C-alpha cells in the first residue's frame, strides 16, 4: 500500500484540495497495519472512556437534524460532543510508524500546500459512538491549516460520515470561487447559515485504507452514528511553522488548562460544570496551537521511539518533548511567548463574557496570521 509517490497523482490531488477544500486518497494504508492500529486504539480509547465514567446520552432530535452553526459542542455522553469522543494518541507505536507519519503519498500533498517546514501540532482522534447526532455546521479554524483524517473502519452512510460543503474554504469572488489562498477566512453566523442552505453538501463515505486531507477552513460537521459500533478515525493536524512560546510558559498554560478541565468534569454520570470544562479544553488547544505540538510533558516521546523516526518525521515533529534531552527542541522566543499570552488571555476573557450556551469562534485568527495572506 505504501508505494513510491506518484508525482502526477500528487499534483492532481493537490489541485483537487485547492478547488474543493479536501481530497480523499484511496488505498494508502494496508489492512494488516490498520488491524494493528485499531486493536491498540480500541484499548486506549475505551480505557479513557472508563476513566471519564460519562454515561452515554440517550438518542434525541440531533440524530434527525441540527440547524445550528458555529462551534457549539455539547460534552454530553462524550468528552467532545453529543456521544462523541476525542482522544490525543499516545506517544508510542503504532501511531508513529513511518507508514502513518512519513508516508509520501500523504506528505507529498502536504508539502505542496504548506511548504517543507510544516509541523504536526495535534495528533488525536474523533469517534462518534452509537447515538451520536448531527453536529452544528462549522469551521475548525479560520486560519489555514490541514487535517489528515484516517478511518480505522469503513465509513458508511450510517456510522457517522463527515458532511462537508465543498468550496467553502475560500471566499466567493463575483459568484465564483476565488483562487486558492492561504489567508484567514472567517465565515460569520448569518453567512454560514446561508451557505449551508444554498450549497449542496457531501457525506464522505470511505473504505478503510483511504485518507482524507482537508482544509480546516472548510465548513463541515459530524453526522449521526445510527449503528451499534463506534466509528474510529485518527486526526493529524498540520500547519506551517512559526514562532513558539518558551517551554516553561506553555507548560504552565497546559497545567492550568488540565486543572480546569478536571474541575469542570467533576464526578458522576455527566459533566458537572460545562463552561469550566469547555474553558479547560479551549485553553489546552491554545497551548497546542501556539506551541506547535501536543507532545508536551504529558505525552513525551521516549528516546528509543524518537531515534527510530526518520529525519523527515523528526523534522515535522520537531517541537515535541523527548525524554532525557537537556536541549530544548524548538527553542521559544519573545514573539511566540507574546502571541501565546495574548491568545490565552483572550480565551479566558471571552469565556467569562460569553452568555451560557453561546457558540465560540473557531479561533482568534479572524484578522489574519503572521506568514499568511490578508483575508
Amino acid at each position: 500500500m505504501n508505494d513510491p509517490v506518484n508525482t502526477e497523482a500528487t499534483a492532481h490531488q493537490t489541485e483537487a484540495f485547492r478547488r474543493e477544500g479536501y481530497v480523499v486518497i484511496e488505498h494508502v494504508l494496508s489492512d494488516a497495519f490498520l488491524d494493528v492500529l485499531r486493536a491498540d486504539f480500541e484499548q486506549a480509547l475505551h480505557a479513557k472512556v472508563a476513566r471519564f465514567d460519562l454515561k452515554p446520552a440517550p438518542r434525541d432530535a440531533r440524530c434527525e437534524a441540527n440547524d445550528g452553526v458555529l462551534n457549539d459542542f455539547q460534552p454530553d455522553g462524550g468528552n467532545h460532543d453529543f456521544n462523541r469522543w476525542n482522544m490525543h494518541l499516545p506517544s508510542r507505536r503504532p501511531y508513529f510508524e513511518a507508514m502513518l507519519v512519513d508516508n509520501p503519498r500523504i506528505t507529498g500533498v502536504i508539502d505542496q500546500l504548506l511548504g517543507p517546514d510544516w509541523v504536526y501540532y495535534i495528533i488525536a482522534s474523533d469517534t462518534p459512538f452509537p447515538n451520536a447526532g448531527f453536529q452544528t455546521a462549522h469551521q475548525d479554524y479560520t486560519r489555514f491549516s490541514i487535517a489528515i483524517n484516517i478511518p480505522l473502519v469503513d465509513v458508511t452512510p450510517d456510522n457517522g460520515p463527515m458532511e462537508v460543503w465543498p468550496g467553502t474554504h475560500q471566499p466567493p469572488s463575483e459568484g465564483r470561487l476565488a483562487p486558492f489562498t492561504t489567508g484567514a477566512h472567517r465565515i460569520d453566523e448569518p453567512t454560514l447559515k446561508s451557505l449551508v442552505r444554498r450549497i449542496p453538501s457531501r457525506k464522505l463515505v470511505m473504505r478503510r485504507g483511504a485518507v482524507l486531507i482537508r482544509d480546516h477552513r472548510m465548513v463541515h460537521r459530524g453526522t449521526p452514528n445510527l449503528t451499534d459500533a463506534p466509528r474510529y478515525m485518527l486526526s493529524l493536524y498540520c500547519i506551517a511553522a512559526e514562532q513558539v512560546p518558551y517551554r516553561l510558559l506553555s507548560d504552565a498554560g497546559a497545567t492550568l488548562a488540565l486543572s480546569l478541565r478536571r474541575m469542570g468534569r467533576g464526578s458522576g454520570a455527566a459533566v458537572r460544570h460545562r463552561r469550566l470544562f469547555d474553558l479547560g479544553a479551549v485553553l489546552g488547544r491554545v497551548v497546542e496551537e501556539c506551541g506547535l505540538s501536543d507532545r508536551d510533558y504529558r505525552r513525551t516521546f521516549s528516546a528509543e521511539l524518537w531515534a527510530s523516526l526518520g529525519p523527515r518525521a523528526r523534522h515535522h515533529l520537531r517541537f515535541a518533548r523527548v525524554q532525557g534531552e537537556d536541549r530544548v527542541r524548538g527553542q521559544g522566543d519573545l514573539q511566540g511567548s507574546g502571541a501565546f499570552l495574548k491568545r490565552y488571555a483572550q480565551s479566558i476573557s471571552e469565556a467569562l463574557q460569553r452568555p451560557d450556551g453561546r457558540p465560540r469562534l473557531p479561533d482568534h485568527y479572524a484578522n489574519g496570521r503572521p506568514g499568511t495572506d490578508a483575508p
Side-chain angles (χ1 to χ4, degrees), residues 219-234:
V219 178
H220 65 286
R221 67 177 177 178
T223 64
N225 184 351
L226 305 178
T227 71
D228 59 1
R231 191 272 289 141
Y232 306 124
M233 181 176 285
L234 309 187

Side-chain angles (χ1 to χ4, degrees), residues 242-356:
E242 60 176 356
Q243 293 81 6
V244 298
Y246 293 117
R247 183 62 57 84
L248 288 176
L249 188 60
S250 60
D251 279 356
T255 299
L256 175 58
L258 183 60
S259 297
L260 291 173
R261 195 165 172 84
R262 286 173 173 169
M263 287 189 288
R265 166 64 186 96
S267 59
V271 171
R272 179 175 295 178
H273 303 292
R274 180 190 163 196
R275 297 187 71 182
L276 200 61
F277 185 82
D278 284 349
L279 177 58
V282 170
L283 294 179
R285 190 57 62 91
V286 169
V287 172
E288 294 162 354
E289 292 164 9
C290 290
L292 297 184
S293 180
D294 62 354
R295 306 292 109 178
D296 55 21
Y297 67 92
R298 295 167 295 169
R299 306 179 194 96
T300 304
F301 277 111
S302 69
E304 184 271 334
L305 177 59
W306 183 257
S308 74
L309 299 176
R312 289 189 307 175
R314 289 198 296 268
H315 179 68
H316 296 315
L317 291 161
R318 61 190 179 275
F319 294 102
R321 190 78 59 89
V322 180
Q323 290 176 359
E325 283 203 348
D326 295 327
R327 180 172 64 87
V328 177
R329 192 176 304 280
Q331 178 69 46
D333 60 23
L334 287 175
Q335 183 175 348
S337 297
F340 167 69
L341 288 173
K342 181 179 179 180
R343 282 199 63 197
Y344 205 88
Q346 187 176 5
S347 296
I348 294 174
S349 175
E350 288 180 352
L352 294 175
Q353 297 176 35
R354 186 171 60 243
D356 189 26

Side-chain angles (χ1 to χ4, degrees), residues 165-179:
W165 279 262
T168 53
H169 61 306
Q170 297 287 286
S173 176
E174 298 180 355
R176 297 176 299 175
L177 292 179

Side-chain angles (χ1 to χ4, degrees), residues 74-358:
Q74 311 281 336
D76 184 11
N79 69 337
H80 177 58
D81 199 7
F82 181 63
N83 289 324
R84 187 177 296 267
W85 286 83
N86 282 177
M87 182 182 74
H88 289 82
L89 301 183
S91 294
R92 65 172 186 248
R93 296 184 182 89
Y95 307 109
F96 292 92
E97 298 286 357
M99 187 178 292
L100 198 62
V101 297
D102 194 16
N103 189 318
R105 294 190 61 197
I106 301 171
T107 60
V109 176
I110 307 301
D111 288 344
Q112 293 297 311
L113 295 165
L114 292 176
D117 287 331
W118 58 271
V119 293
Y120 292 112
Y121 69 100
I122 293 177
I123 300 171
S125 60
D126 173 70
T127 303
F129 273 60
N131 291 324
F134 280 106
Q135 290 184 304
T136 53
H138 63 280
Q139 297 172 282
D140 282 338
Y141 300 105
T142 63
R143 48 90 169 121
F144 179 49
S145 58
I146 295 172
I148 304 167
N149 294 124
I150 302 164
L152 303 184
V153 298
D154 289 343
V155 181
T156 72
D158 295 326
N159 70 353
M162 184 180 297
E163 184 176 12
V164 303
W165 279 262
T168 53
H169 61 306
Q170 297 287 286
S173 176
E174 298 180 355
R176 297 176 299 175
L177 292 179
F180 181 81
T181 70
T182 59
H185 173 44
R186 173 184 169 188
I187 305 175
D188 61 31
E189 184 173 1
T191 303
L192 184 50
K193 287 183 177 180
S194 175
L195 287 176
V196 169
R197 288 194 301 267
R198 291 189 295 105
I199 297 177
S201 66
R202 298 173 189 165
K203 292 183 179 178
L204 302 183
V205 174
M206 298 184 291
R207 295 295 300 270
R208 77 171 193 158
V211 171
L212 166 65
I213 302 176
R214 62 181 174 89
D215 192 321
H216 274 138
R217 300 170 297 178
M218 180 180 62
V219 178
H220 65 286
R221 67 177 177 178
T223 64
N225 184 351
L226 305 178
T227 71
D228 59 1
R231 191 272 289 141
Y232 306 124
M233 181 176 285
L234 309 187
S235 302
L236 284 61
Y237 288 5
C238 312
I239 195 169
E242 60 176 356
Q243 293 81 6
V244 298
Y246 293 117
R247 183 62 57 84
L248 288 176
L249 188 60
S250 60
D251 279 356
T255 299
L256 175 58
L258 183 60
S259 297
L260 291 173
R261 195 165 172 84
R262 286 173 173 169
M263 287 189 288
R265 166 64 186 96
S267 59
V271 171
R272 179 175 295 178
H273 303 292
R274 180 190 163 196
R275 297 187 71 182
L276 200 61
F277 185 82
D278 284 349
L279 177 58
V282 170
L283 294 179
R285 190 57 62 91
V286 169
V287 172
E288 294 162 354
E289 292 164 9
C290 290
L292 297 184
S293 180
D294 62 354
R295 306 292 109 178
D296 55 21
Y297 67 92
R298 295 167 295 169
R299 306 179 194 96
T300 304
F301 277 111
S302 69
E304 184 271 334
L305 177 59
W306 183 257
S308 74
L309 299 176
R312 289 189 307 175
R314 289 198 296 268
H315 179 68
H316 296 315
L317 291 161
R318 61 190 179 275
F319 294 102
R321 190 78 59 89
V322 180
Q323 290 176 359
E325 283 203 348
D326 295 327
R327 180 172 64 87
V328 177
R329 192 176 304 280
Q331 178 69 46
D333 60 23
L334 287 175
Q335 183 175 348
S337 297
F340 167 69
L341 288 173
K342 181 179 179 180
R343 282 199 63 197
Y344 205 88
Q346 187 176 5
S347 296
I348 294 174
S349 175
E350 288 180 352
L352 294 175
Q353 297 176 35
R354 186 171 60 243
D356 189 26
R358 178 184 173 189

